[in-house]
Amino acid sequence: MSGIKLTSGENGGIASGGVTVREMTRLERIGAHSHIRGLGLDDSLDPRKCGSQGMVGQAKARRAVGVIYRMIAEGKIGGRAILLAGKPGTGKTAIAMGLAQQLGEDTPFTTMSGSEVFSLEMSKTEALTQALRRSIGIRILEETEVMEGEVVEIQIDTAFGGENKAGRAKGGMEKTGRLTLCTTDMETVYDLGTKMIEALSKEKITAGDVITIDKASGKITKLGRSFSRSRDYDAMGSTTRFVQCPEGELQKRKEVVHNVSLHEIDVINSRQQGFLALFAGDTGEIKSEVREQIDAKVVEWREEGRAKIVPGVLFIDEVHMLDMECFSFLNRALESDMAPVLVIATNRGISKIRGTEYKSPHGIPLDLLDRLMIVSTEPYSHDEVRKILSVRCEEEDVEMADDAMELLARIGIETSLRYAIHMIIASSLAATKRKSATVEIDDVKRVYRLFVDVKRSTQYLMEYNKEFMFNELDDRTTEYGVDNNNHHDGDEPVEGGVSGDMLMASSP
Ligand SMILES: Nc1ncnc2c1ncn2[C@@H]1O[C@H](COP(=O)(O)OP(=O)(O)OP(=O)(O)O)[C@@H](O)[C@H]1O
Ligand SMILES: [Mg+2]
C-alpha cells in the first residue's frame, strides 16, 4: 500500500499471522483472573446476578467501567483516562481484565505494569509511546476478487516428458489438471497449472471442501467442508468445520479486513527484518520520522475510506510506579487525537510521587489526577468474599463442603482475599492426600496452620524479633497491619486485626 508496508512475508503477513495465532488451541492454565470472562453487565449496564461472567459485587465500579466500555465500543472518544483506586485485593485488576474480555479480540487492549517502563533498552517515554501505539488499532479494508465454491472434483494428469511445440521431448514429469468448482447455482471447470496443483495439495484440498481462491495472488483458503458431505465419512477430526455450499456466482468481490496496531506498522517499517522483531519483542527505539510518516498515511487512508481507526485501551497497573517524567508525558499524550483510552490502577493512598519528595493522592501528580475519572473499589463483604471463593473453586475444579467454604470466607475477611484464594488449591491437595474428593473443614484448618498469612507472620516477627538478623523494630511494622490503629506514611492500613482464636471459634 503506497510506500508503507502493512504486511510481512508473502501472503497476508501480519493479518494472516494474527489469524493463525487465534486458531491455535488455547493453553489451559489457571491464572489469578482466569475466572473473569467479562464485566457481567446487562444491556442497561446493571450488574447481572452475582457471579455472572465470574464477576462478584463491586457494582458501582462495574457500572462505571460499563459506561467506559460503551464509550470505547462506539469508538468515538479517545484520550480519556480512568483511575481505578482502592485497597489491595478489591478487584481493580480483575475489573480491568473484565473490560478487556468484554471488548473482545478486535479492540486492542494493552496491559502493562508501571514498572515495565524502566528498562535499559529504551527510554521511559519510548516505552510509553510504544504501549500507547499498541493500543490503537487500524482496521484496513481491502477489496479483492475471489472465486468461492465447493470443490466437485480435482483431476490431475501426470504426463511423462511431454512434447513441446518444436516437437522436442521435454525431460521429467509434467502435471496438468482440472478443478471443478460449484455453487448452488452454477458449476465451472478451471484448468490448473503446476503451481495451483501444488497449492491444492499443500492445503490438502479434496472434493467436498469449500474454498476461496484469491484471483490476484492465487492464494487458496479452505473455509471448511460442505454440509452435503458431512455424512460421507465416519471419522472426522474434531476440528473439521462444516459450511454451507456458497450461493450465486463463483466469482465474487470480497472485503478483507486486516486488523493491525499502529505499533505493528511502526515496527514493520522501521527495520529491514521488521516483522521478525515483532515476534522477538526486540523492537528497539523507533524513529519519530517513521511514526510521523505512518500517521500521515493513516490519515490519508482514513480520508479515502480505506481504513478505520479503532481506539483501544492502554491499561497501566500499579501506576504509582511511574515517575514525574512519565506522568507529564501521559498528560500530553492524552491530548493527541489518536490517543487510546487510558485505564490506570493503584492501591496507594496519599503517598510520595516516585522520584520526588512531594506527596499526592494515589501517588499521582495533581495535574494528571485532574484529567482522570476516578472509580473507586470498595472492600468486599463476607458474602461477596464467599461468592468469589466459590467462583474460584469452580475455576480450579475444587469441590468444597459448605462449612469449609464458610470458614475460608471468614479467613478471607480476617486476612485477605488473596490469601483465602491461595488456600483453595492447598486445601484441595490436603483433601486429596486423605483420599477425599471434597474439601472438608479440617483440610482448611490444616493449611491455615501450614501457611501463615502476613499478619501472623508479622506477629511472629515481633515476638521473636531479637532472634532474627538485622532486626529493626520501629513503627514501620504498622504497614503490615499488626497495629491497625496507626496510619503510616499515608498508606492505608490493611483492615481487620488478627484473631488468634478464629480456628477455635469456627469449630462446630
Ligand atoms: N469482583 C470480583 N469478582 C470476581 N473475582 C474477583 C473480584 N474482585 C477480585 N477478584 C479476584 O480476587 C483476586 C484479587 O483481586 P485483584 O488482583 O483484582 O485485586 P487488586 O485490586 O488489583 O489488588 P492490588 O491493588 O493488590 O493489585 C484476583 O484473583 C481477582 O480475580
Ligand atoms: Mg492489581
Side-chain angles (χ1 to χ4, degrees):
M1 256 188 195
S2 40
I4 301 265
K5 273 186 276 173
L6 254 182
T7 52
S8 52
E10 315 141 45
N11 335 319
I14 291 303
S16 70
V19 174
T20 346
V21 173
R22 242 172 258 157
E23 275 170 6
M24 261 170 28
T25 39
R26 225 180 99 231
L27 274 180
E28 287 292 343
R29 270 198 88 230
I30 297 167
H33 306 289
S34 49
H35 59 292
I36 307 281
R37 308 216 158 77
L39 288 168
L41 300 172
D42 62 17
D43 290 341
S44 54
L45 299 184
D46 280 324
R48 263 182 263 141
K49 71 166 184 24
C50 201
S52 159
Q53 295 187 314
M55 271 289 178
V56 179
Q58 220 59 270
K60 233 166 77 188
R62 276 160 66 196
R63 248 184 232 129
V65 175
V67 174
I68 306 297
Y69 162 71
R70 279 278 161 82
M71 213 164 84
I72 301 164
E74 279 170 19
K76 293 213 181 81
I77 300 175
R80 290 299 154 91
I82 294 91
L83 168 66
L84 291 166
K87 289 181 180 182
T90 47
K92 298 179 294 295
T93 311
I95 289 176
M97 293 301 120
L99 175 64
Q101 299 271 343
Q102 189 96 35
L103 283 168
E105 280 191 5
D106 287 341
T107 310
F109 193 101
T110 315
T111 306
M112 69 186 289
S113 161
S115 43
E116 269 174 58
V117 301
F118 302 96
S119 122
L120 288 178
E121 271 162 32
M122 56 177 92
S123 67
K124 292 175 265 186
T125 49
E126 172 70 17
L128 282 175
T129 310
Q130 290 197 2
L132 284 164
R133 288 176 76 86
R134 244 188 219 128
S135 321
I136 299 174
I138 310 285
R139 194 164 293 160
I140 295 154
L141 302 173
E142 249 182 334
E143 265 209 352
T144 49
E145 279 215 354
V146 294
M147 288 175 307
E148 186 176 271
E150 179 183 331
V151 178
V152 181
E153 196 185 12
I154 303 175
Q155 240 184 9
I156 294 170
D157 309 316
T158 317
F160 277 101
E163 289 191 355
N164 63 13
K165 281 194 186 116
R168 253 178 283 145
K170 277 202 279 179
M173 308 223 285
E174 193 174 308
K175 279 185 180 170
T176 53
R178 260 163 299 155
L179 168 72
T180 317
L181 277 183
C182 76
T183 65
T184 47
D185 303 314
M186 60 188 287
E187 189 172 303
T188 313
V189 183
Y190 298 95
D191 282 331
L192 294 173
T194 340
K195 238 178 154 180
M196 282 304 275
I197 294 175
E198 264 169 30
L200 282 170
S201 68
K202 210 170 124 200
E203 295 289 324
K204 300 197 178 65
I205 307 290
T206 54
D209 286 339
V210 177
I211 61 170
T212 63
I213 305 174
D214 189 317
K215 273 186 95 174
S217 65
K219 186 173 180 263
I220 300 174
T221 319
K222 191 164 163 174
L223 299 179
R225 281 196 71 78
S226 168
F227 271 118
S228 57
R229 299 286 185 130
S230 59
R231 259 177 253 110
D232 282 11
Y233 305 96
D234 292 338
M236 201 71 86
S238 60
T239 52
T240 312
R241 194 167 54 179
F242 286 102
V243 292
Q244 294 289 356
C245 177
E247 290 171 7
E249 296 274 322
L250 268 166
Q251 296 204 16
K252 283 186 189 126
R253 286 180 90 52
K254 240 195 170 176
E255 239 178 30
V256 191
V257 183
H258 301 278
N259 284 315
V260 279
S261 75
L262 268 185
H263 175 68
E264 282 165 338
I265 307 182
D266 287 352
V267 174
I268 290 168
N269 288 283
S270 70
R271 289 229 187 154
Q272 284 249 302
Q273 288 293 317
F275 74 98
L276 286 182
L278 265 183
F279 295 114
D282 162 35
T283 52
E285 300 220 350
I286 289 163
K287 289 201 198 84
S288 61
E289 299 91 75
V290 174
R291 291 206 170 110
E292 274 161 28
Q293 225 181 328
I294 288 167
D295 288 350
K297 257 287 152 348
V298 168
V299 170
E300 204 177 286
W301 292 339
R302 216 164 105 187
E303 279 163 7
E304 290 166 9
R306 283 201 288 168
K308 221 178 111 186
I309 293 185
V310 189
V313 181
L314 171 59
F315 172 52
I316 308 180
D317 211 349
E318 318 284 334
V319 76
H320 48 262
M321 294 307 289
L322 297 182
D323 62 8
M324 212 54 172
E325 262 177 66
C326 298
F327 285 127
S328 69
F329 177 82
L330 283 179
N331 272 348
R332 184 70 196 86
L334 283 176
E335 280 164 18
S336 98
D337 59 346
M338 273 219 257
V341 171
L342 179 70
V343 179
I344 57 184
T346 178
N347 55 20
R348 293 297 156 101
I350 298 169
S351 54
K352 279 190 188 141
I353 302 168
R354 185 174 177 161
T356 70
E357 285 301 311
Y358 300 110
K359 280 190 178 175
S360 183
H362 311 293
I364 299 171
L366 282 173
D367 53 348
L368 179 57
L369 273 178
D370 192 37
R371 289 172 164 84
L372 299 174
M373 305 203 275
I374 303 178
V375 175
S376 62
T377 52
E378 281 147 22
Y380 292 113
S381 68
H382 178 276
D383 286 347
E384 285 164 343
V385 169
R386 197 185 154 132
K387 184 69 200 171
I388 293 176
L389 289 171
S390 82
V391 171
R392 284 300 299 182
C393 278
E394 228 167 86
E395 180 72 17
E396 295 178 23
D397 216 359
V398 171
E399 205 166 301
M400 197 171 285
D402 265 357
D403 53 351
M405 185 73 91
E406 183 57 31
L407 173 60
L408 203 57
R410 283 187 50 197
I411 293 178
I413 289 282
E414 298 268 340
T415 62
S416 76
L417 175 60
R418 284 214 175 89
Y419 175 78
I421 289 180
H422 293 159
M423 288 304 107
I424 294 176
I425 198 73
S427 51
S428 138
L429 290 174
T432 318
K433 201 167 159 231
R434 42 170 204 95
K435 300 200 170 54
S436 157
T438 321
V439 174
E440 299 293 344
I441 197 159
D442 284 334
D443 301 314
V444 177
K445 285 184 193 173
R446 182 139 186 261
V447 292
Y448 182 79
R449 271 186 235 112
L450 283 179
F451 301 100
V452 293
D453 55 285
V454 186
K455 285 176 206 165
R456 275 182 291 160
S457 175
T458 317
Q459 201 158 52
Y460 183 77
L461 285 183
M462 309 246 299
E463 271 168 37
Y464 299 98
N465 173 45
K466 294 279 174 310
E467 284 144 51
F468 281 87
M469 282 177 70
F470 307 125
N471 56 76
E472 280 179 62
L473 188 61
D474 60 10
D475 33 281
R476 284 196 68 83
T477 25
T478 53
E479 241 184 72
Y480 308 109
V482 167
D483 174 4
N484 57 344
N485 294 323
N486 281 338
H487 286 236
H488 170 76
D489 213 357
D491 280 358
E492 289 164 274
V494 185
E495 49 148 1
V498 189
S499 91
D501 58 358
M502 188 161 59
L503 282 177
M504 310 268 284
S506 62
S507 308

